[in-house]
Amino acid sequence: MCPQTPPRLSPGGNSCASGIDKATAEVFAAHGVHMVICDIQDDIGGSVASQISSKNPNTKIQYQHLDVTVRSECNAVVEDAVRFLGGLDSLVHAAGHIHQDAAETIAEGELDHMLDTRGGTILNFGSDLASDPLPLLAHYAASKGAVQSFTRAVAREWGKYGIRVNAVLPAVWTPMIDGYRENLEAESVAGYDVFMNDRVCLGEKFGDVEIDLVPVLAFLVSDASRWITGQLVPVNGGLSLVR
Ligand SMILES: NC(=O)c1ccc[n+]([C@@H]2O[C@H](COP(=O)([O-])OP(=O)(O)OC[C@H]3O[C@@H](n4cnc5c(N)ncnc54)[C@H](O)[C@@H]3O)[C@@H](O)[C@H]2O)c1
């Protein structure tokens, strides 16, 4: 799955308690990738990391608290990861949150928080909603637009250092999607499901994290994708057709 396994990975500048980050950490560890995994939810994150560690005793795993909106914490985690792993080959920045609010009532702090939950690392996470937003998600769409522009900009700047930077645009079932649907009115859930069924070319609402997404992430952090940088990579069943 991961042809030239990157031996030292920090999935998530990052997070591991839930969704994409958790599945990525589990599958990558099973393939021998050494990792520092991080989240703001220390109770869940710590226990996920212990489970992964006990299932993969030959893989070096360390959990660390990280709020990706705090620059000093990001710097400290990278330094610790380099010390613990003996270097760092890849970062997968899958932290994120979604919260519905009418555009005119979005609090300044909430917009700042959305915009701060981003990063310029090897793999960032954008969204189809950046270019095709849904109601009440203006701040989420704006934050993802920022992630995508930032990804392209730093790919240009950091190519000279041999650093590749891409953004994945997923559409996969995770607790984030469950939480979003739970917060909709019943009729909106039905409408949302019809919208997704109509729009996803492959006919399923959402893909499976482990089957449909993690192999693409493995490809993107491996040398097999050494000529790919600055790209928005949709793994979304054709939900939107990204350029
Ligand atoms: N699931 C999808 O279909 C989908 C679609 C488009 C974009 N995305 C993006 O992919 C990324 C992962 O999403 P997911 O579906 O796995 O979500 P998720 O809610 O299941 O997991 C997100 C994780 O990020 C952590 N987190 C939140 N804020 C953080 C912070 N400030 N610092 C550190 N960790 C933090 C959470 O604790 C959680 O463990 C997000 O950036 C999301 O916006 C997901």
Side-chain angles (χ1 to χ4, degrees), residues 119-122 124 147-161 163-166 229-230:
T121 58
I122 295 288
N124 292 322
V147 167
Q148 293 169 195
S149 298
F150 185 76
T151 296
R152 289 170 151 158
V154 294
R156 281 226 183 277
E157 283 192 34
W158 294 350
K160 64 183 176 218
Y161 304 123
I163 298 176
R164 299 184 297 109
V165 190
N166 292 294
T229 194

Side-chain angles (χ1 to χ4, degrees), residues 97-99 114 126-127 129-130 137-145 176:
H97 73 131
I98 198 165
H99 162 77
M114 279 283 175
S127 171
L129 297 179
L137 291 177
H139 48 336
Y140 183 77
S143 74
K144 291 306 185 185
M176 178 179 278

Side-chain angles (χ1 to χ4, degrees), residues 18 20-21 39 41 66-68 94-96 126 140 144 170-172 174:
S18 167
I20 294 168
D21 34 44
D39 208 292
Q41 301 187 69
L66 172 63
D67 181 341
V68 297
Y140 183 77
K144 291 306 185 185
V172 289
T174 65

Side-chain angles (χ1 to χ4, degrees), residues 12-22 38-41 44 65-70 73 93-98 113 116-117 124-129 140 143-144 147 168-177 192 206-207 209 213 235 239:
N14 326 356
S15 44
C16 73
S18 167
I20 294 168
D21 34 44
K22 176 170 180 264
C38 319
D39 208 292
I40 38 171
Q41 301 187 69
I44 310 177
H65 170 85
L66 172 63
D67 181 341
V68 297
T69 67
V70 181
E73 291 189 18
H93 181 181
H97 73 131
I98 198 165
H113 187 62
D116 284 347
T117 314
N124 292 322
F125 284 78
S127 171
D128 291 296
L129 297 179
Y140 183 77
S143 74
K144 291 306 185 185
V147 167
V168 175
L169 281 51
V172 289
W173 275 116
T174 65
M176 178 179 278
I177 303 297
Y192 177 64
F206 287 94
V209 181
L213 181 63
V235 188
L239 170 61

